Amino acid sequence: MSSGIVIAIIVAVVVIVLAIGLWTAVRRRHLRDRFGAEYERAVEAEGGHRAAERDLRAREERHDDLDLKPLASTARQQYARDWNSVQEHFVDRPQEAVGEADQLVTRLMKERGYPTEGYEQQVKDLSVEHGRTLEHYRAAHEVNARAGGRQTTTEELRGAMVHYRALFDDLLTNGDRPGQQRA
């Protein structure tokens, strides 16, 4: 082989390797931007970037198949009133109010079109559009699970209400962020 052909082959291989590296970096950045802290959680849970990115892409595909819908203005107003009622119950019955908050968030998820059977699947489905508030949901869920056994303080219950409120507000506003267009 002539040296010109060898150089052309080497250049072609380098270009291909660079293109693959760039493509991988763009995909990784997309997933990090979309999932936020959930990206790192997935890397840790899955034991590496490749497995985590495969899982996150599968979540995106499942999410694309969901029939998600925005709430009508009247439904948003009713949910806001329902939330205010739950908050009022907190004063006299904090444990029950946290349970009511969980039920209200689940009802709102269902009305938006999210499947609501199974907490782990809920978390995965929510992670695609609501990754920024997902840690709030996890924290609230953990406190709610302990509240049934009366293993929580009033301060923990108050924190759970704040955490539920973060996801509730995100779902209520359809997850819109400034500059985000919805179909």
Side-chain angles (χ1 to χ4, degrees):
M1 263 196 271
S2 74
S3 62
I5 293 175
V6 171
I7 290 173
I9 291 172
I10 291 172
V11 168
V13 167
V14 168
V15 167
I16 290 171
V17 168
L18 288 175
I20 290 171
L22 181 61
W23 181 69
T24 301
V26 167
R27 277 189 7 205
R28 184 167 287 163
R29 174 172 228 119
H30 160 76
L31 291 172
R32 279 189 170 154
D33 289 347
R34 182 158 201 185
F35 287 92
E38 186 66 13
Y39 178 88
E40 293 304 325
R41 179 183 271 277
V43 168
E44 187 176 314
E46 296 292 330
H49 289 278
R50 280 191 179 160
E53 290 169 4
R54 199 171 26 255
D55 175 56
L56 296 174
R57 283 192 306 276
R59 292 183 196 190
E60 285 181 320
E61 288 174 15
R62 175 181 161 89
H63 185 271
D64 290 346
D65 291 339
L66 297 176
D67 184 24
L68 299 180
K69 46 199 165 297
L71 292 174
S73 174
T74 55
R76 274 197 305 275
Q77 291 169 358
Q78 182 59 51
Y79 275 106
R81 285 191 296 273
D82 291 348
W83 181 263
N84 288 335
S85 176
V86 168
Q87 281 185 298
E88 289 171 5
H89 295 160
F90 184 83
V91 174
D92 296 322
R93 301 183 331 261
Q95 289 178 329
E96 290 85 357
V98 168
E100 290 173 21
D102 180 71
Q103 291 171 359
L104 184 60
V105 166
T106 301
R107 201 172 78 223
L108 177 55
M109 287 171 52
K110 186 173 188 144
E111 186 163 340
R112 288 281 322 279
Y114 286 98
T116 57
E117 59 283 338
Y119 168 74
E120 290 302 323
Q121 189 60 54
Q122 286 177 351
V123 168
K124 287 182 177 187
D125 291 339
L126 287 169
S127 70
V128 178
E129 277 192 39
H130 303 281
R132 306 275 184 252
T133 54
L134 204 52
E135 283 305 311
H136 288 287
Y137 186 48
R138 282 189 173 102
H141 180 79
E142 186 271 327
V143 170
N144 187 37
R146 289 189 296 115
R150 311 242 186 256
Q151 301 170 348
T152 53
T153 66
T154 303
E155 186 59 27
E156 288 174 312
L157 295 168
R158 187 197 66 73
M161 291 294 289
V162 170
H163 290 308
Y164 274 126
R165 180 64 189 246
L167 177 61
F168 178 83
D169 285 344
D170 202 25
L171 286 165
L172 196 63
T173 59
N174 301 321
D176 294 342
R177 289 178 205 29
Q180 181 181 10
Q181 297 284 323
R182 284 220 158 290

